[in-house]
Amino acid sequence: AIVQGENVYLDGSASHDANLDPLTYQWSLVSLPEDSTAALSQFDSAETSFLADLPGQYVISLVVNDGFEMSEPSNVTVTAISWEDAASEKLLVAIASMNNLPPAAFKNKNMRKTLTNKISVILQQIDLGQYEEAYQKLNDDVMGKTDGCALIGKPDKNDWIICCDSQNELYPL
């Protein structure tokens, strides 16, 4: 899945003709999420793209022609998820990743549970539509406890995760 607001690039250049005849291409959007204004950038070239403006499924079709005969349509379905869902998925992965870290990766044994609780609060804020609050909590209350290695190459005094390998696993999430 992709995140809404991302461009989707499609490439039909691997299409071929048994007789090596030159091909023409015809792309079309078969279906879109309701109220989507997505449009293909090209309809008649080997490659095209579109902006997945809303969450939901986009079905795109390609038909090629060798000058004599049209191919059967080849369809692809692209699923776009909301940025809220993408953020929640990433935070759930972060919790799972953190729970797989060795105990020695933390400054003390309680910090894993406390960080998990902080991320859980952020997930609740996202669910409630409190995006600014979720961002602030993530930025001010979680990132600063896991960012020393990313920022200065070693854990800093505020880090709760004191091993760079562990920070490098968690921080990008």
Side-chain angles (χ1 to χ4, degrees):
I2 61 156
V3 179
Q4 87 180 83
E6 288 184 2
N7 281 310
V8 177
Y9 298 93
L10 302 166
D11 187 347
S13 63
S15 302
H16 64 279
D17 179 66
N19 303 328
L20 302 178
D21 293 326
L23 298 176
T24 59
Y25 302 84
Q26 185 62 48
W27 293 94
S28 61
L29 282 166
V30 176
S31 68
L32 312 166
E34 187 175 338
D35 297 325
S36 172
T37 59
L40 295 169
S41 62
Q42 300 285 325
F43 294 96
D44 58 358
S45 68
E47 298 175 357
T48 192
S49 64
F50 69 94
L51 176 70
D53 60 340
L54 295 174
Q57 290 193 333
Y58 298 78
V59 178
I60 305 91
S61 180
L62 172 62
V63 174
V64 295
N65 188 313
D66 66 357
F68 302 101
E69 183 174 1
M70 293 175 64
S71 71
E72 291 294 319
S74 178
N75 293 342
V76 63
T77 300
V78 175
T79 302
I81 61 174
S82 70
W83 62 266
E84 297 95 331
D85 288 344
S88 294
E89 285 180 16
K90 193 65 84 167
L91 290 168
L92 290 170
V93 170
I95 288 172
S97 176
M98 186 171 43
N99 286 324
N100 285 327
L101 296 177
F106 295 88
K107 202 178 268 188
N108 77 48
K109 66 179 184 164
N110 297 320
M111 291 183 170
R112 178 195 321 260
K113 182 178 180 184
T114 304
L115 275 174
T116 299
N117 290 340
K118 288 177 182 297
I119 295 172
S120 295
V121 168
I122 295 167
L123 286 165
Q124 291 170 352
Q125 289 172 320
I126 291 171
D127 285 345
L128 294 171
Q130 299 169 349
Y131 308 123
E132 184 64 31
E133 294 88 343
Y135 174 77
Q136 289 299 327
K137 183 157 190 69
L138 179 64
N139 195 47
D140 298 342
D141 203 20
V142 174
M143 301 296 285
K145 294 173 176 51
T146 63
D147 65 355
C149 297
L151 299 178
I152 62 171
K154 62 182 181 180
D156 64 36
K157 65 179 177 132
N158 297 317
D159 287 341
W160 288 12
I161 297 176
I162 55 173
C163 167
C164 278
D165 286 343
S166 296
Q167 275 193 25
N168 292 338
E169 185 178 325
L170 182 64
Y171 182 77
L173 296 172

